[in-house]
Amino acid sequence: MPIATVNPANGETLRTYEAMGEEEIERRLQLAEATFRTYRTTSFEERAGLMHRAADLLEADQDEIGKVITTEMGKPVKQARAEAAKCAKAMRWYADHAAELLADEEPAESDVKDSGGSRALVRYRPLGPVLAVMPWNFPLWQVIRFAAPALMAGNVGLLKHASNVPQTALYLEDLFHRAGFPEGCFQTLLIGSAAVDDILRDERVRAATLTGSEPAGRAVASTAGEMIKKTVLELGGSDPFVVMPSADVDRAAEVAVTARTQNAGQSCIAAKRFIVHTDVYDAFVERFTAGMRALTVGDPMDEETEVGPLSSEQGVTDVAELVDDAVRGGATVLCGGERPDGPGWYYPPTVLADVTREMRIHREEAFGPVATLYRAADLDEAVLIANDTDFGLSSNVWTRDDADVDRFVRDLEAGGVYVNGMTASHPAFPFGGVKRSGYGRELSGHGIREFCNITTVWHGA
C-alpha cells in the first residue's frame, strides 16, 4: 500500500511519500537507543512539564489537525476536533498521575521479615524503545494513548502509522519535538508493513504495541514471541449492545445510533450487534431504525455531517459484501443496504434484522455503519448471543435491574461492561479485550505499567 494522503470524500490523491530507506531507519533506531539512555534518567516532574506543553500545543492545533485527519481518513471534522481535545486531556492526565502510578511499592513488613530481609520495594523502570503499530481510524487517539504513558514512564517511542495517514503521523513527531522532548523521544517511521518485522527483530527495540487487524496482530505477536519481547495487542471487536425490558428504551435507541455510527462505524469498540429482549424488541427497533435513517451523511468537512465516507474503497467493498451475503442468507434490510452512486467511499447507515449464525456478518467484524439485530427471549439467551463471537473487546448493557447487571458483569466475555451507556475510552480506566480482541491493557495504571520492568529490590538483614 503506498504511503499517501487520499481524500475518502472524492478519491483524490493529494500527496504521496517515499518510504524511508534502510539507512534512515538505522539512523532513527540509533537515535532512539541513544536518547533512551539519558531520557530514562529524567524526573517525572521534567517529563510532566514536557507532556503538558505538548497537550497545550495539540489543543491549540485542534482546528488545523482536525482538518488534516478529515482529509486523510474521512472522519467528520467535528469528530476530528473532538479527538484532538480528548488526546490533550489524556496527555495531561498522565502528566499529573504518572509519578503516583509508578511510585515505589513497599511489601508488608511481615513479608519482608519472613523473606529474611530488612527492607524491600518494587520499582517500575522503563524498558526502552517501544514500537507502536497504529491504525488510521483514530489516528491521533490511538497513538497518544500509547505515547503519553510510555513517555511518562521514561520509554521512547517509534511510530509505524497506517499508510493512509502520513501527515497525521508526521504531525505527531513534530508535536513532541515542538514541546521540547529530546530528539529521538518520539519518532515517526514512514515505512510499509513489510518493514515492521525487521524493526521488531532489532535488539534495540524492546517491546511493541499494535492496534489493528487480527492478521497484523498475529504477525507482530509471532515475531515478538520468537524474539521474546513484550507486546500489547488491541485487535477487532464485535461488541454486543443488550437491551432488557427494564431499560429506558428511548434513551437506549438514541445512544445506540451514536454507538454504531460514530466515525462511520469504523471503531473496534463500536456497538455492532444489538441484542434486544423480545418484550421491548419492536419498540427499540422502530426507534433505532428511525434514528439511523435520519442521520446526515455527506461531506465530512461540513459541520452538519454526522456520517462521512469510509476510509477506503476496499472498506466500502468489505462492508457491502457482508451486507449482500446476509441478504442472500435471508436477512431483512430495515434501512440502507445499498452503496450510493457518486464520488467518494460512502456507505449508508444500515440496519439488518433476521440475522443468523450462518451469515458472515454474524462471525466477522463489520467495520462500517451497519447494525445487526437479534431477538432474545430472556437473559440467558441474551448472554448466549452476546458471547457467540470470537471477539471480546467491550459490551453495552441497558437495564435498571441490579440482578441483570450482576449477571452480565459475571458472564459477558469482554474487557469492559458499560451499563446504560456506550463504550468510551477514558485515561483513568483500563482498555483492552479477551479472545481474538487481543491481550494486555492500555490506559490507566495498568496501561502505563505494561512497558515497565517491574523490579524487586531486596535488602538483607
Side-chain angles (χ1 to χ4, degrees), residues 160-309:
K160 189 284 180 214
H161 217 325
S163 294
N164 62 331
V165 290
Q167 293 185 57
T168 306
L170 292 170
Y171 168 82
L172 284 159
E173 178 179 271
D174 183 62
L175 173 69
F176 289 110
H177 176 73
R178 286 188 290 138
F181 280 89
E183 186 182 8
C185 263
F186 187 91
Q187 299 180 82
T188 287
L189 305 178
L190 285 184
I191 56 174
S193 297
V196 170
D197 190 74
D198 285 344
I199 293 171
L200 186 52
R201 291 179 182 277
D202 193 291
E203 63 181 11
R204 290 165 293 191
V205 174
R206 301 298 179 87
T209 179
L210 177 141
T211 299
S213 68
E214 283 186 70
R218 289 192 188 97
V220 165
S222 177
T223 298
E226 182 182 342
M227 303 304 295
I228 315 180
K229 294 182 179 182
K230 177 70 178 290
T231 54
V232 171
L233 302 181
E234 193 268 280
L235 308 178
S238 190
D239 291 2
F241 188 106
V242 183
V243 183
M244 297 298 288
S246 64
D248 180 340
V249 174
D250 288 342
R251 179 61 179 159
E254 179 185 1
V255 173
V257 173
T258 302
R260 176 63 285 221
T261 61
Q262 187 178 38
N263 199 25
Q266 300 168 117
S267 171
C268 296
I269 57 170
K272 299 182 176 80
R273 298 176 298 127
F274 296 82
I275 303 161
V276 187
H277 192 285
T278 189
D279 290 353
V280 292
Y281 181 88
D282 291 339
F284 175 85
V285 170
E286 179 183 0
R287 291 162 176 76
F288 177 54
T289 304
M292 292 283 280
R293 191 180 290 115
L295 290 166
T296 301
V297 180
D299 179 0
M301 287 295 185
D302 189 327
E303 295 287 342
E304 302 303 316
T305 293
E306 295 169 294
V307 179

Side-chain angles (χ1 to χ4, degrees), residues 3 19 47 51 94 114 116 124 156 167 208 247 251 269 275 301 320 336 352 365 434 460:
I3 301 173
R47 296 172 204 164
M51 191 62 68
Y94 271 109
D114 186 59
Y124 295 94
V156 301
Q167 293 185 57
R251 179 61 179 159
I269 57 170
I275 303 161
M301 287 295 185
L352 299 178
E365 181 180 22
V434 294

Side-chain angles (χ1 to χ4, degrees), residues 390-418:
D390 290 334
F391 300 105
L393 193 52
S394 190
S395 60
N396 308 259
V397 174
W398 289 76
T399 178
R400 292 167 172 160
D401 188 323
D402 290 342
D404 285 356
V405 173
D406 290 343
R407 175 71 187 282
F408 283 120
V409 170
R410 187 192 75 181
D411 290 347
L412 287 180
E413 298 168 349
V417 180
Y418 284 70

